[in-house]
């Protein structure tokens, strides 16, 4: 049984008797998601495996602001619910659509609460001290990496790039799988994913919610390889074990700005195969522009679904690397960056949809491998839409040809998804 939970509505923070702070949200989006989940399951459930359909159970949890019969009132009530969902091993997906009170208030240093002394209007003006409340959403993926977490970010009269960065910050900070960002003034919606792409940029709210549910249901059942990190040294970027061809190509990409940091880390990955079980790859959550300082991580396959990494976690693209190396034995180097094709160029490279796949999943790796083909002699490539290219070659290849190939087809000055900074 796979359980899907939708949490919606606003919360209340009691200050005094008859005085509270409130996050005004009436559960409209949560109710809509609940209906769409039911429709999606009824339509698609038997298409995956007719003889062994996936059993789903979905539950809508509304706060008292959205449903007067609910017992979810405060942030603490929602936190208690979240703790219960985390403790349930069947919990698979959480749509965290609740509007949480961002602040708790107090007046005259008196302890706040539903039954605290009631204020008298005859006492005149009062000053309230606002303290930021604890963030509950952060604990979900911190404690359960197997839960697919969908979050929501609201902006007010932001540009699309500002809206994107606000949503991406929420996603990265809380390890979310998807974020729907919406602006209450411009009415713009967009779906942001870990690959730093943005999908469905639209003022059509229904279209955005429908797309969010569809992406969630297609991505929530993906498979990932576990990385067990043990003690071990990094592999120096200038170590002889790193082929000169890979080093020269990656250094060129760095020089041209292909790896743009956000929150101290860059998207993309690169690797070299050492043998059938071993490869050297880029480190997860690091800035590749500091490659001479951070080096690479050595990874050894210990089974089809688990790897041993020495000293650091490997890039999430490690699964794609394993599949490509296994299915394309003529190549042993991979370079991946999040850059768009050059404008107005006929690109012979096959484009593969990234929409249903989260980067790092087995399914993303297989999709990447399936799309690879030789474009120039000795150079294979595939372009993942809204994501970026994988350029694959043998260590014996002339790096200048690889660089010329990249220069011909890709704009390293731009990033798919959009800029991760505000000009």
């Amino acid at each position: 049984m796979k359980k899907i939970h939708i949490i919606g509505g606003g919360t209340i923070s009691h200050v005094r008797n008859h005085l509270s702070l409130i996050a005004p949200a009436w559960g409209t989006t949560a109710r809509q998601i609940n209906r769409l989940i039911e429709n999606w399951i009824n339509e698609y459930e038997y298409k995956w495996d007719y003889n062994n359909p996936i059993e789903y159970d979905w539950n809508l949890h509304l706060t008292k602001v959205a449903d007067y019969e609910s017992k979810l009132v405060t942030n603490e009530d929602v936190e208690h619910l979240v703790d219960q969902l985390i403790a349930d091993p069947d919990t698979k997906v959480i749509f965290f659509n609740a509007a949480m009170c961002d602040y708790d208030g107090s007046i005259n240093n008196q302890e706040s609460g539903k039954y605290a002394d009631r204020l008298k209007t005859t006492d005149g003006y009062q000053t309230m001290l606002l303290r930021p409340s604890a963030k509950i959403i952060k604990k979900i993926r911190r404690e359960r990496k197997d839960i697919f977490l969908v979050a929501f970010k609201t902006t007010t009269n932001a540009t699309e790039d500002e809206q994107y960065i606000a949503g991406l910050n929420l996603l990265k900070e809380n390890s979310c799988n998807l974020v729907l960002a919406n602006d209450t003034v411009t009415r713009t919606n967009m779906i942001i994913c870990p690959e730093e792409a943005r999908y469905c940029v639209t003022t059509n709210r229904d279209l955005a919610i429908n797309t969010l549910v569809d992406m969630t249901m297609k991505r929530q059942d993906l498979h990932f390889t576990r990385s067990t990190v043990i003690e071990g040294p990094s592999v120096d970027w200038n170590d002889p074990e790193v082929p000169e061809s890979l080093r020269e190509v990656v250094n060129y990409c760095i020089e041209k700005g292909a790896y743009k940091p956000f929150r101290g880390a860059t998207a993309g990955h690169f690797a070299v195969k050492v043998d059938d079980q071993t490869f050297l790859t880029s480190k997860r959550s690091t800035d590749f522009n500091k490659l001479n300082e951070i080096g690479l991580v050595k990874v050894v396959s210990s089974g089809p679904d688990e790897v041993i990494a020495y000293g650091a976690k490997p890039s999430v693209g490690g699964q794609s690397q394993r599949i490509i190396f296994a299915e394309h034995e003529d190549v042993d180097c991979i370079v991946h960056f999040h850059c768009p094709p050059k404008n107005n160029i006929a690109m012979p490279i096959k484009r593969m949809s990234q929409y249903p796949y989260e980067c790092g999943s087995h399914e993303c790796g297989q999709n990447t491998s399936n799309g690879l083909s030789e474009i120039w002699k000795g150079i294979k490539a595939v372009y993942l839409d809204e994501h970026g290219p994988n350029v694959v070659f043998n260590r014996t290849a002339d790096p200048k040809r690889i660089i010329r190939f990249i220069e011909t087809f890709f704009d390293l000055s731009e990033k798919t998804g959009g800029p991760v900074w505000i000009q």
Side-chain angles (χ1 to χ4, degrees), residues 262-279:
F262 181 72
R263 297 175 63 91
T266 44
H269 59 80
F270 37 88
V272 58
K273 176 181 176 180
V274 176
D275 56 45
D276 288 343
Q277 281 77 44
T278 309
F279 59 101

PDB file of all heavy atoms in Angstrom, residues 262-279:
ATOM      1  N   PHE A 262      24.607  27.601  -7.036  1.00  0.00           N
ATOM      2  CA  PHE A 262      23.409  28.048  -6.314  1.00  0.00           C
ATOM      3  C   PHE A 262      23.469  27.439  -4.923  1.00  0.00           C
ATOM      4  O   PHE A 262      23.606  26.229  -4.779  1.00  0.00           O
ATOM      5  CB  PHE A 262      22.144  27.600  -7.047  1.00  0.00           C
ATOM      6  CG  PHE A 262      20.866  28.044  -6.366  1.00  0.00           C
ATOM      7  CD1 PHE A 262      20.499  29.374  -6.391  1.00  0.00           C
ATOM      8  CD2 PHE A 262      20.055  27.133  -5.704  1.00  0.00           C
ATOM      9  CE1 PHE A 262      19.335  29.800  -5.763  1.00  0.00           C
ATOM     10  CE2 PHE A 262      18.888  27.548  -5.079  1.00  0.00           C
ATOM     11  CZ  PHE A 262      18.524  28.889  -5.110  1.00  0.00           C
ATOM     12  N   ARG A 263      23.421  28.287  -3.902  1.00  0.00           N
ATOM     13  CA  ARG A 263      23.545  27.841  -2.515  1.00  0.00           C
ATOM     14  C   ARG A 263      24.834  27.039  -2.325  1.00  0.00           C
ATOM     15  O   ARG A 263      24.880  26.051  -1.595  1.00  0.00           O
ATOM     16  CB  ARG A 263      22.324  27.026  -2.095  1.00  0.00           C
ATOM     17  CG  ARG A 263      21.017  27.812  -2.116  1.00  0.00           C
ATOM     18  CD  ARG A 263      19.831  26.903  -1.795  1.00  0.00           C
ATOM     19  NE  ARG A 263      19.940  26.367  -0.441  1.00  0.00           N
ATOM     20  CZ  ARG A 263      19.424  26.941   0.651  1.00  0.00           C
ATOM     21  NH1 ARG A 263      18.732  28.073   0.530  1.00  0.00           N
ATOM     22  NH2 ARG A 263      19.562  26.401   1.837  1.00  0.00           N
ATOM     23  N   GLY A 264      25.898  27.457  -3.021  1.00  0.00           N
ATOM     24  CA  GLY A 264      27.212  26.856  -2.849  1.00  0.00           C
ATOM     25  C   GLY A 264      27.453  25.564  -3.601  1.00  0.00           C
ATOM     26  O   GLY A 264      28.490  24.923  -3.425  1.00  0.00           O
ATOM     27  N   ALA A 265      26.504  25.164  -4.475  1.00  0.00           N
ATOM     28  CA  ALA A 265      26.666  23.918  -5.227  1.00  0.00           C
ATOM     29  C   ALA A 265      26.296  24.145  -6.684  1.00  0.00           C
ATOM     30  O   ALA A 265      25.543  25.055  -7.024  1.00  0.00           O
ATOM     31  CB  ALA A 265      25.806  22.813  -4.630  1.00  0.00           C
ATOM     32  N   THR A 266      26.849  23.302  -7.557  1.00  0.00           N
ATOM     33  CA  THR A 266      26.580  23.411  -8.986  1.00  0.00           C
ATOM     34  C   THR A 266      25.857  22.159  -9.483  1.00  0.00           C
ATOM     35  O   THR A 266      26.077  21.057  -8.988  1.00  0.00           O
ATOM     36  CB  THR A 266      27.897  23.591  -9.773  1.00  0.00           C
ATOM     37  OG1 THR A 266      28.886  22.686  -9.262  1.00  0.00           O
ATOM     38  CG2 THR A 266      28.413  25.011  -9.646  1.00  0.00           C
ATOM     39  N   ALA A 267      24.992  22.350 -10.479  1.00  0.00           N
ATOM     40  CA  ALA A 267      24.257  21.239 -11.081  1.00  0.00           C
ATOM     41  C   ALA A 267      25.065  20.649 -12.223  1.00  0.00           C
ATOM     42  O   ALA A 267      25.807  21.339 -12.913  1.00  0.00           O
ATOM     43  CB  ALA A 267      22.907  21.729 -11.587  1.00  0.00           C
ATOM     44  N   GLY A 268      24.894  19.339 -12.431  1.00  0.00           N
ATOM     45  CA  GLY A 268      25.612  18.634 -13.477  1.00  0.00           C
ATOM     46  C   GLY A 268      26.464  17.528 -12.874  1.00  0.00           C
ATOM     47  O   GLY A 268      26.413  17.260 -11.662  1.00  0.00           O
ATOM     48  N   HIS A 269      27.249  16.873 -13.695  1.00  0.00           N
ATOM     49  CA  HIS A 269      28.154  15.836 -13.202  1.00  0.00           C
ATOM     50  C   HIS A 269      29.119  15.436 -14.319  1.00  0.00           C
ATOM     51  O   HIS A 269      28.904  15.752 -15.498  1.00  0.00           O
ATOM     52  CB  HIS A 269      27.393  14.613 -12.683  1.00  0.00           C
ATOM     53  CG  HIS A 269      26.510  13.947 -13.703  1.00  0.00           C
ATOM     54  ND1 HIS A 269      26.985  13.081 -14.671  1.00  0.00           N
ATOM     55  CD2 HIS A 269      25.171  14.018 -13.904  1.00  0.00           C
ATOM     56  CE1 HIS A 269      25.984  12.643 -15.401  1.00  0.00           C
ATOM     57  NE2 HIS A 269      24.867  13.200 -14.968  1.00  0.00           N
ATOM     58  N   PHE A 270      30.163  14.704 -13.956  1.00  0.00           N
ATOM     59  CA  PHE A 270      31.113  14.146 -14.922  1.00  0.00           C
ATOM     60  C   PHE A 270      31.810  12.973 -14.253  1.00  0.00           C
ATOM     61  O   PHE A 270      31.865  12.873 -13.022  1.00  0.00           O
ATOM     62  CB  PHE A 270      32.130  15.190 -15.403  1.00  0.00           C
ATOM     63  CG  PHE A 270      32.576  16.155 -14.337  1.00  0.00           C
ATOM     64  CD1 PHE A 270      33.645  15.857 -13.516  1.00  0.00           C
ATOM     65  CD2 PHE A 270      31.920  17.363 -14.163  1.00  0.00           C
ATOM     66  CE1 PHE A 270      34.052  16.742 -12.525  1.00  0.00           C
ATOM     67  CE2 PHE A 270      32.309  18.251 -13.171  1.00  0.00           C
ATOM     68  CZ  PHE A 270      33.376  17.942 -12.356  1.00  0.00           C
ATOM     69  N   ALA A 271      32.309  12.060 -15.080  1.00  0.00           N
ATOM     70  CA  ALA A 271      32.889  10.840 -14.519  1.00  0.00           C
ATOM     71  C   ALA A 271      33.778  10.151 -15.533  1.00  0.00           C
ATOM     72  O   ALA A 271      33.702  10.412 -16.735  1.00  0.00           O
ATOM     73  CB  ALA A 271      31.771   9.887 -14.077  1.00  0.00           C
ATOM     74  N   VAL A 272      34.584   9.224 -15.014  1.00  0.00           N
ATOM     75  CA  VAL A 272      35.392   8.350 -15.864  1.00  0.00           C
ATOM     76  C   VAL A 272      35.310   6.940 -15.309  1.00  0.00           C
ATOM     77  O   VAL A 272      35.359   6.724 -14.090  1.00  0.00           O
ATOM     78  CB  VAL A 272      36.859   8.821 -15.944  1.00  0.00           C
ATOM     79  CG1 VAL A 272      37.506   8.901 -14.571  1.00  0.00           C
ATOM     80  CG2 VAL A 272      37.654   7.892 -16.866  1.00  0.00           C
ATOM     81  N   LYS A 273      35.155   5.979 -16.190  1.00  0.00           N
ATOM     82  CA  LYS A 273      35.110   4.568 -15.807  1.00  0.00           C
ATOM     83  C   LYS A 273      36.532   4.054 -15.609  1.00  0.00           C
ATOM     84  O   LYS A 273      37.400   4.253 -16.455  1.00  0.00           O
ATOM     85  CB  LYS A 273      34.398   3.776 -16.904  1.00  0.00           C
ATOM     86  CG  LYS A 273      34.366   2.280 -16.686  1.00  0.00           C
ATOM     87  CD  LYS A 273      33.662   1.603 -17.855  1.00  0.00           C
ATOM     88  CE  LYS A 273      33.673   0.095 -17.736  1.00  0.00           C
ATOM     89  NZ  LYS A 273      32.981  -0.548 -18.893  1.00  0.00           N
ATOM     90  N   VAL A 274      36.761   3.373 -14.491  1.00  0.00           N
ATOM     91  CA  VAL A 274      38.067   2.772 -14.209  1.00  0.00           C
ATOM     92  C   VAL A 274      38.053   1.295 -14.603  1.00  0.00           C
ATOM     93  O   VAL A 274      38.949   0.811 -15.282  1.00  0.00           O
ATOM     94  CB  VAL A 274      38.435   2.938 -12.721  1.00  0.00           C
ATOM     95  CG1 VAL A 274      39.761   2.232 -12.405  1.00  0.00           C
ATOM     96  CG2 VAL A 274      38.520   4.422 -12.356  1.00  0.00           C
ATOM     97  N   ASP A 275      37.023   0.578 -14.149  1.00  0.00           N
ATOM     98  CA  ASP A 275      36.796  -0.801 -14.564  1.00  0.00           C
ATOM     99  C   ASP A 275      35.305  -1.080 -14.461  1.00  0.00           C
ATOM    100  O   ASP A 275      34.518  -0.161 -14.209  1.00  0.00           O
ATOM    101  CB  ASP A 275      37.633  -1.799 -13.738  1.00  0.00           C
ATOM    102  CG  ASP A 275      37.392  -1.694 -12.245  1.00  0.00           C
ATOM    103  OD1 ASP A 275      36.213  -1.601 -11.840  1.00  0.00           O
ATOM    104  OD2 ASP A 275      38.364  -1.704 -11.472  1.00  0.00           O
ATOM    105  N   ASP A 276      34.899  -2.338 -14.604  1.00  0.00           N
ATOM    106  CA  ASP A 276      33.473  -2.651 -14.648  1.00  0.00           C
ATOM    107  C   ASP A 276      32.746  -2.338 -13.347  1.00  0.00           C
ATOM    108  O   ASP A 276      31.520  -2.181 -13.345  1.00  0.00           O
ATOM    109  CB  ASP A 276      33.262  -4.131 -14.991  1.00  0.00           C
ATOM    110  CG  ASP A 276      33.589  -4.428 -16.447  1.00  0.00           C
ATOM    111  OD1 ASP A 276      33.663  -3.466 -17.233  1.00  0.00           O
ATOM    112  OD2 ASP A 276      33.782  -5.626 -16.780  1.00  0.00           O
ATOM    113  N   GLN A 277      33.467  -2.257 -12.244  1.00  0.00           N
ATOM    114  CA  GLN A 277      32.825  -1.953 -10.957  1.00  0.00           C
ATOM    115  C   GLN A 277      33.201  -0.587 -10.393  1.00  0.00           C
ATOM    116  O   GLN A 277      32.586  -0.132  -9.432  1.00  0.00           O
ATOM    117  CB  GLN A 277      33.206  -3.012  -9.906  1.00  0.00           C
ATOM    118  CG  GLN A 277      32.447  -4.323 -10.007  1.00  0.00           C
ATOM    119  CD  GLN A 277      32.953  -5.195 -11.143  1.00  0.00           C
ATOM    120  OE1 GLN A 277      34.167  -5.325 -11.327  1.00  0.00           O
ATOM    121  NE2 GLN A 277      32.042  -5.769 -11.905  1.00  0.00           N
ATOM    122  N   THR A 278      34.185   0.066 -10.977  1.00  0.00           N
ATOM    123  CA  THR A 278      34.743   1.268 -10.355  1.00  0.00           C
ATOM    124  C   THR A 278      34.709   2.449 -11.317  1.00  0.00           C
ATOM    125  O   THR A 278      35.009   2.311 -12.504  1.00  0.00           O
ATOM    126  CB  THR A 278      36.208   1.018  -9.933  1.00  0.00           C
ATOM    127  OG1 THR A 278      36.272  -0.193  -9.169  1.00  0.00           O
ATOM    128  CG2 THR A 278      36.745   2.170  -9.109  1.00  0.00           C
ATOM    129  N   PHE A 279      34.338   3.622 -10.792  1.00  0.00           N
ATOM    130  CA  PHE A 279      34.470   4.845 -11.570  1.00  0.00           C
ATOM    131  C   PHE A 279      34.744   6.022 -10.638  1.00  0.00           C
ATOM    132  O   PHE A 279      34.491   5.955  -9.432  1.00  0.00           O
ATOM    133  CB  PHE A 279      33.242   5.096 -12.456  1.00  0.00           C
ATOM    134  CG  PHE A 279      31.925   5.214 -11.729  1.00  0.00           C
ATOM    135  CD1 PHE A 279      31.360   6.456 -11.470  1.00  0.00           C
ATOM    136  CD2 PHE A 279      31.229   4.080 -11.342  1.00  0.00           C
ATOM    137  CE1 PHE A 279      30.142   6.559 -10.822  1.00  0.00           C
ATOM    138  CE2 PHE A 279      30.007   4.172 -10.707  1.00  0.00           C
ATOM    139  CZ  PHE A 279      29.455   5.423 -10.436  1.00  0.00           C
TER     140      PHE A 279
END
